[in-house]
Amino acid sequence: MEFLWNNLTDKTDSGLTRYDTKMLQGLSVLAMVVLHLFDRVDFQGLYTPLLYLAGKPVIFYFAQLSDFCVMGFAFCSGYGLYKKYMCVGGQTKKYYNGRLKGILKLLVNYWLILIGFTGLSMLIGNGNQMPGTLWQFIGNVTTFDTSYNGAWWYLFVYILLVLISSFIFRCSNRLPDCVTFAVSFIIYSSAYYVMNITVRQSRQSGVARATCPD
């Protein structure tokens, strides 16, 4: 507790340390687990809630609050990228030399996982949509399409943000902090709203197809 209090009250440190970002990433991992396990009201047969609030398990509300998990990872990544951007003095060419190598390394790891995931899915009979059409295959290889596994949706978003990060940092350095915060909040809120609408419509169309007679 004393160590944590010293970190919070230390006015000499103007930024996050690697240890700080690791703590935030660890918290985001825990939030992701809670979100994917308990963000549902059809829990019968899955677990037995101990406490209820307004007819719903209390853990459900904690799961709703845990939706910051992706934002936590995005914040850590963005902070690290900004530090690297400032380390090269804002020189775009030097900055992107390192970032493109990082993206290539990330894609190589992704392709290895994609090959293993696709092969295993087809082996156990769950890969009916694989490899799909030519465009579906290309889309999944390039991360633009996630029809093989929807859980990979953030990979394309991350790569896109890295590619435009230099522009974002230049704008952020020139604008007041309050304007940067307001614009970021508006973009995040709008994207969150659109995503929720899209997911809700997708679920409704899925239910409609399931209940429609052949």
Side-chain angles (χ1 to χ4, degrees), residues 122-151:
M122 296 177 67
L123 184 64
I124 64 178
N126 291 335
N128 296 329
Q129 77 280 15
M130 302 173 184
T133 66
L134 177 61
W135 292 115
Q136 285 178 323
F137 175 75
I138 295 176
N140 280 276
V141 170
T142 57
T143 74
F144 184 77
D145 187 0
T146 57
S147 58
Y148 290 0
N149 186 358

Side-chain angles (χ1 to χ4, degrees), residues 135-201:
W135 292 115
Q136 285 178 323
F137 175 75
I138 295 176
N140 280 276
V141 170
T142 57
T143 74
F144 184 77
D145 187 0
T146 57
S147 58
Y148 290 0
N149 186 358
W152 295 337
W153 66 270
Y154 183 66
L155 191 57
F156 174 76
V157 176
Y158 173 77
I159 293 175
L160 179 62
L161 288 175
V162 172
L163 292 177
I164 65 175
S165 58
S166 176
F167 171 75
I168 295 176
F169 296 150
R170 286 200 303 270
C171 293
S172 178
N173 287 337
R174 295 175 182 176
L175 296 174
D177 292 341
C178 58
V179 175
T180 301
F181 177 80
V183 172
S184 300
F185 180 78
I186 292 173
I187 293 175
Y188 175 80
S189 301
S190 302
Y192 188 84
Y193 176 78
V194 172
M195 182 184 69
N196 281 345
I197 293 296
T198 303
V199 171
R200 189 178 301 114
Q201 291 177 346

